[in-house]
Amino acid sequence: MLTEPRADSSRLRSVDCLRGLAALGVLIAHAALYGALSANRLRETPLWFQGFIFTCTGGRLGVPLFFVISGFCIHLAWAKRWSASGIAGQDFLTFWMRRIRRLYVPYLAALAFSMSLVLIASSRGMSTPLLNYPEPRPWWILGDFTAHALMLHGLIPKFDHMGGNPALWTLAREEYLYLLYFVLLPIRRFSNSVLSALFSLGIGLIVFGIMHVALSPASIWRPIVLTSALCLWIQWSLGMVAVESYFGLCRLPSIVLRARYVPFWGFLAELAERYAIALSPLAWGLCFFTLLNCCVELEKQDRWPKCGWSSRVVNLLSKVGLFSYSLYLIHYPLRGVIKYFVPRAVDTSSPFVYLSTALVIAALSVAGGKIFFLAIEKRFLSSGVQKALMRAAT
């Protein structure tokens, strides 16, 4: 996801850990579902395998976690300046120039890779959901590439999950949320981060309500309303609140500060998905907002794991977090390449072969993400960020 690491030596390993957890969650979900098992076919498999698939699909929750982390990271520099000197300011042009260099170029490289795979598959007459273009197909493929290159695919339902890489839908939302950040900053200056978060929540609920009434159930716009930037704005805004809490700029109740409340918010989020879908972004946002608050507070108090098995686990996740953006960018097209070379494994009725193939997809995707980071993304990091990454990797 489009989140930028800190450029100083006081880098938060807890945030890297959560970023790695989110990236691996999305990767595992996509690796486990590589065979696109139908509901009927899944029912014919052993119960343990059904449980495995159900558990892995929970990796989709890496997306709301990413959005909360993104709000935290982007607002961190502002909050740090405000807490140190009371100076509030964010230059719009500098903000965007930095992100274009740091984030857009690797994104464009990943898009070129995924769209080249689309062209190859199209020339071979292959049939996949990612080739579901109307005729004339070449012009639609060009339109798909252009929409993604300009980050407009989030505004075009046909292209939202195309580009040869459906995972890129979240990156369009990130760009829109970056724009919305400059809407929240004036509100924050004249009030506080909690009120600015409530403002984003209110806008999201209003938009959802209007679209729910205005759009017919068959509308092609309806499925993406809940995943629009305005509806997901609250998750990003909660990340802003979290970083201000970290610097002591606001006080929060214990229900969003203690780890024992994370399952509570998760339970409410599951209920919201079933019975009050408009509140789902808020509920999942509060779940991962609470998790983020707990983790950064542990590190702030110097209680982050430093030894034992828990330390090894969080250190591994933190190292993945260092190249999580590259992993997120490249894992889905890599999955497609691997599927092409193991067609029998995709169609197998053997859960053991299916599991083995999913493991291979996950492992090769992690390796591919690291290679992509070293070959491309790392070249566009500032020297300060590169040094911070080297320290964090040791």
Side-chain angles (χ1 to χ4, degrees):
M1 199 68 64
L2 303 182
T3 55
E4 188 167 4
R6 296 176 64 183
D8 54 45
S9 59
S10 58
R11 182 183 182 86
L12 288 171
R13 289 180 179 252
S14 55
V15 175
D16 283 333
C17 177
L18 291 178
R19 189 186 284 115
L21 178 65
L24 287 178
V26 174
L27 167 62
I28 289 171
H30 288 158
L33 296 176
Y34 75 91
L37 290 171
S38 65
N40 290 334
R41 185 177 167 193
L42 184 59
R43 293 191 192 98
E44 297 172 357
T45 61
L47 286 177
W48 69 265
F49 184 67
Q50 296 180 39
F52 164 79
I53 294 295
F54 176 79
T55 301
C56 289
T57 55
R60 65 186 173 82
L61 298 177
V63 172
L65 175 55
F66 262 133
F67 283 132
V68 175
I69 293 172
S70 177
F72 184 98
C73 293
I74 295 302
H75 192 54
L76 189 147
W78 189 99
K80 187 175 182 179
R81 285 196 303 271
W82 181 265
S83 65
S85 61
I87 298 175
Q90 185 70 271
D91 182 73
F92 184 85
L93 183 60
T94 302
F95 177 90
W96 279 102
M97 290 299 294
R98 182 178 182 183
R99 271 141 196 84
I100 288 173
R101 171 181 168 79
R102 164 69 180 87
L103 303 170
Y104 180 72
V105 179
Y107 166 83
L108 195 59
L111 175 62
F113 173 61
S114 62
M115 289 303 296
S116 67
L117 296 179
V118 168
L119 290 174
I120 292 172
S122 179
S123 67
R124 291 176 172 268
M126 298 173 62
S127 178
T128 73
L130 292 179
L131 292 176
N132 188 24
Y133 296 102
E135 294 293 345
R137 180 178 284 186
W139 286 105
W140 279 91
I141 292 176
L142 177 61
D144 190 12
F145 175 79
T146 303
H148 276 81
L150 297 176
M151 287 287 190
L152 297 176
H153 55 286
L155 304 176
I156 308 172
K158 177 63 180 177
F159 296 146
D160 194 31
H161 286 77
M162 298 291 279
N165 191 348
L168 298 183
W169 75 267
T170 63
L171 304 189
R173 306 312 191 272
E174 285 278 0
E175 290 296 310
Y176 310 153
L177 289 168
Y178 288 170
L179 288 170
L180 291 171
Y181 179 45
F182 288 89
V183 174
L184 288 183
L185 279 179
I187 299 174
R188 166 60 187 90
R189 292 192 191 103
F190 293 105
S191 56
N192 56 61
S193 58
V194 175
L195 287 178
S196 64
L198 289 175
F199 172 81
S200 67
L201 172 63
I203 294 297
L205 291 176
I206 290 171
V207 168
F208 179 86
I210 293 174
M211 294 299 178
H212 185 73
V213 173
L215 298 176
S216 69
S219 172
I220 61 173
W221 290 91
R222 196 177 182 93
I224 68 170
V225 168
L226 193 64
T227 61
S228 66
L230 289 174
C231 287
L232 297 177
W233 199 6
I234 179 59
Q235 295 176 352
W236 206 88
S237 301
L238 285 172
M240 291 178 59
V241 178
V243 74
E244 294 206 16
S245 174
Y246 174 74
F247 282 110
L249 297 175
C250 65
R251 298 185 63 181
L252 300 173
S254 62
I255 197 170
V256 293
L257 296 174
R258 302 288 181 263
R260 63 177 177 269
Y261 293 113
V262 173
F264 167 74
W265 291 118
F267 175 71
L268 289 185
E270 288 287 349
L271 290 179
E273 287 196 347
R274 291 175 178 268
Y275 305 110
I277 193 66
L279 296 176
S280 177
L282 169 63
W284 284 121
L286 287 170
C287 177
F288 296 118
F289 171 63
T290 305
L291 178 63
L292 177 61
N293 286 332
C294 295
C295 290
V296 296
E297 186 62 26
L298 282 175
E299 187 169 5
K300 184 178 180 180
Q301 297 176 2
D302 199 26
R303 293 166 54 200
W304 194 244
K306 296 180 179 178
C307 59
W309 68 267
S310 59
S311 174
R312 290 191 289 271
V313 170
V314 298
N315 285 339
L316 177 62
L317 290 173
S318 296
K319 289 180 179 180
V320 174
L322 299 180
F323 62 93
S324 58
Y325 180 48
S326 290
L327 176 57
Y328 190 86
L329 283 174
I330 210 71
H331 78 277
Y332 204 98
L334 285 179
R335 188 189 81 154
V337 173
I338 297 168
K339 284 176 61 178
Y340 177 78
F341 288 104
V342 287
R344 291 184 180 179
V346 173
D347 298 328
T348 185
S349 59
S350 168
F352 293 101
V353 176
Y354 193 99
L355 287 174
S356 299
T357 307
L359 181 61
V360 169
I361 289 174
L364 292 180
S365 296
V366 171
K370 184 62 179 289
I371 292 171
F372 186 88
F373 171 78
L374 295 173
I376 297 178
E377 182 188 352
K378 188 177 180 181
R379 297 175 181 270
F380 298 95
L381 300 175
S382 67
S383 58
V385 172
Q386 290 193 37
K387 291 178 182 178
L389 290 176
M390 291 178 63
R391 285 191 292 268
T394 59

